[in-house]
Amino acid sequence: MKYGDPETVNPCRLCGNAETAQGVSWCLPCIESIFFDAGFRMLGKFVNRMAGIACECLTCGRRSTPCLMNVKKGSGCIECAKDEAARRNRLRRLTEQEARESLALIGIELRGLYENATNLVEGRCQRCGDLVKVKVGKIRAKLNNGETAYGCRRCYLSARTLPLKEVKERCAAAGSEYLSGFTTIRNKIRVRCLTCGRERTRRASDILILGNGCWFCMPRNIYNSKKLIRAPFLANQPSFLYIFEFSDSDGTVFRKYGVGRIEVRGEGRLRTHQRNGGSLIDVRHADLLTVVAAEELIRKSVSRWSYIPANKDFTRGGYTECYTPDIDLDLDAFIEAAGRLIQKMISTEDGSDRSALSGAERFD
């Protein structure tokens, strides 16, 4: 006979009582104890595991109708959960002074009546003088994520507009000829590849900011010194080289090195690693070509001490740049070595033929 067969005696799985309730493996006293442990006092009659039972919360005294299945999964009083959520929201709520400080970080003066972070509030842009309406919570979230926030549409568009001459120069540096369509870097432009002659429509930021070239001809992984030396616009971008220290899920201490471009995310990459529990060990600022070359030298130096953390997601795919702290890295020494390496690459006949970047231009 199978368990649950009406012709057999089915003892309670908790106390051994033979009088189990209908459709479950527990007796009524044990079911009452399950509800009591979850913070409820049963008032109604038990029907089955899916049916709601009238209960009273032992904490707040309010009544609800949870079912046994949900209680077994850990569900508690809904009203208490609402009260706790409201309490947490009150703690997270921005005061008017905090809202004023957050808007001041992006150059906006609070002028209107502030109610909460999710409602629109009126302010005045300190750059152009326009009256704007912004959501403080949205501005705050962007700043916490290391993103650039404007709040003023006129300043937002002007910051994303470049002179046509510079647009053509940046396209040429990425191996493309500008044809038409540029308004802001968020819109798409029409370009022609200087290698294969294919015409295509690409988002302007992919070419003008990231320096991406033709899908068919551009070599992948532009972020290495040999390819950056052929793209002077990208090579001269202000960037930084950093080292962070983390603790893995098992307590193992390891370090991570990497590079970031200030034009793309500012120093948001550093703030992201800090939110993920990392401690900044060292950081150095230089042009992109120098920090990429220094990163390549570091990669070779720490290959014997490479480390792969258990949680590969927190570093956003950069877990291959981790190592154990058995070796100390002097970033200044690597920056200097990278500079000598780049000068050697430029001075070689092969590098001088392919590169549009001279040593004087790079260090201007």
Side-chain angles (χ1 to χ4, degrees):
M1 297 281 183
K2 294 182 178 180
Y3 194 92
D5 194 316
E7 298 181 4
T8 62
V9 176
N10 302 312
C12 174
R13 290 185 175 180
L14 294 180
C15 65
N17 192 330
E19 298 178 0
T20 56
Q22 181 181 357
V24 294
S25 305
W26 309 286
C27 61
L28 288 176
C30 289
I31 292 176
E32 291 180 357
S33 67
I34 292 173
F35 276 84
F36 185 83
D37 293 340
F40 294 105
R41 180 185 295 110
M42 286 182 57
L43 302 177
K45 180 180 179 181
F46 176 78
V47 180
N48 57 59
R49 65 194 307 171
M50 299 290 293
I53 307 171
C55 297
E56 182 182 52
C57 177
L58 298 176
T59 303
C60 65
R62 286 172 286 192
R63 297 189 178 186
S64 57
T65 56
C67 66
L68 176 61
M69 185 178 70
N70 289 340
V71 171
K72 287 289 291 181
K73 291 180 179 179
S75 298
C77 176
I78 297 178
E79 300 299 330
C80 289
K82 292 180 180 179
D83 293 343
E84 178 63 20
R87 186 188 69 83
R88 290 197 301 267
N89 289 335
R90 285 195 298 270
L91 293 177
R92 291 198 302 263
R93 185 172 298 163
L94 295 178
T95 63
E96 183 175 348
Q97 181 61 29
E98 291 173 331
R100 193 180 299 275
E101 293 174 356
S102 297
L103 293 180
L105 292 175
I106 61 172
I108 293 182
E109 178 188 1
L110 181 64
R111 300 294 298 271
L113 177 64
Y114 173 77
E115 297 178 353
N116 54 60
T118 59
N119 288 356
L120 288 172
V121 62
E122 189 178 76
R124 182 179 296 278
C125 179
Q126 299 298 307
R127 294 179 293 269
C128 65
D130 284 358
L131 290 176
V132 296
K133 290 187 176 181
V134 296
K135 293 182 179 180
V136 181
K138 188 175 181 179
I139 298 296
R140 184 94 169 198
K142 284 189 174 183
L143 295 177
N144 290 338
N145 291 333
E147 301 176 11
T148 302
Y150 290 94
C152 174
R153 181 168 179 80
R154 175 183 293 185
C155 297
Y156 170 82
L157 293 176
S158 63
R160 279 157 171 72
T161 301
L162 298 172
L164 188 58
K165 180 180 178 181
E166 186 174 354
V167 171
K168 294 180 179 180
E169 292 175 353
R170 294 194 180 194
C171 287
S176 301
E177 177 189 359
Y178 170 76
L179 298 179
S180 62
F182 177 77
T183 53
T184 69
I185 63 172
R186 292 180 61 88
N187 295 337
K188 293 185 177 181
I189 59 176
R190 189 74 177 171
V191 294
R192 179 188 295 114
C193 177
L194 297 176
T195 303
C196 66
R198 291 185 175 93
E199 294 186 8
R200 67 196 190 283
T201 301
R202 295 284 300 277
R203 185 182 290 272
S205 59
D206 290 345
I207 300 176
L208 305 180
I209 301 299
L210 300 180
N212 295 335
C214 177
W215 290 333
F216 302 95
C217 306
M218 190 66 182
R220 298 299 183 261
N221 189 17
I222 187 64
Y223 288 97
N224 69 60
S225 55
K226 292 183 179 180
K227 295 173 183 176
L228 273 175
I229 209 168
R230 291 179 287 169
F233 161 69
L234 280 178
N236 284 292
Q237 290 295 307
S239 307
F240 54 89
L241 176 68
Y242 63 85
I243 298 177
F244 267 88
E245 187 171 272
F246 293 91
S247 294
D248 209 346
S249 56
D250 59 355
T252 304
V253 177
F254 65 95
R255 292 182 178 179
K256 170 179 168 54
Y257 62 92
V259 301
R261 286 177 54 194
I262 295 179
E263 185 174 1
V264 177
R265 290 184 58 201
E267 294 190 350
R269 184 182 294 265
L270 303 181
R271 290 190 289 270
T272 298
H273 288 322
Q274 288 173 339
R275 287 198 303 271
N276 290 331
S279 300
L280 182 62
I281 301 298
D282 202 358
V283 62
R284 291 293 183 272
H285 291 77
D287 57 85
L288 182 60
L289 178 58
T290 301
V291 297
V292 167
E295 184 188 36
E296 294 171 354
L297 296 176
I298 293 175
R299 185 177 297 113
K300 294 179 182 179
S301 301
V302 302
S303 59
R304 291 174 51 193
W305 297 274
S306 61
Y307 179 80
I308 298 180
N311 182 8
K312 300 178 182 179
D313 295 332
F314 81 100
T315 52
R316 294 191 175 183
Y319 59 87
T320 55
E321 301 167 347
C322 299
Y323 65 98
T324 57
D326 298 327
I327 178 175
D328 290 329
L329 301 180
D330 185 358
L331 293 188
D332 289 328
F334 281 101
I335 291 291
E336 293 178 4
R340 293 192 298 268
L341 177 63
I342 293 169
Q343 292 292 353
K344 183 178 179 180
M345 293 170 59
I346 293 175
S347 63
T348 58
E349 181 179 357
D350 185 41
S352 60
D353 289 342
R354 294 180 303 166
S355 175
L357 181 67
S358 67
E361 288 174 340
R362 192 176 65 81
F363 291 108
D364 281 347

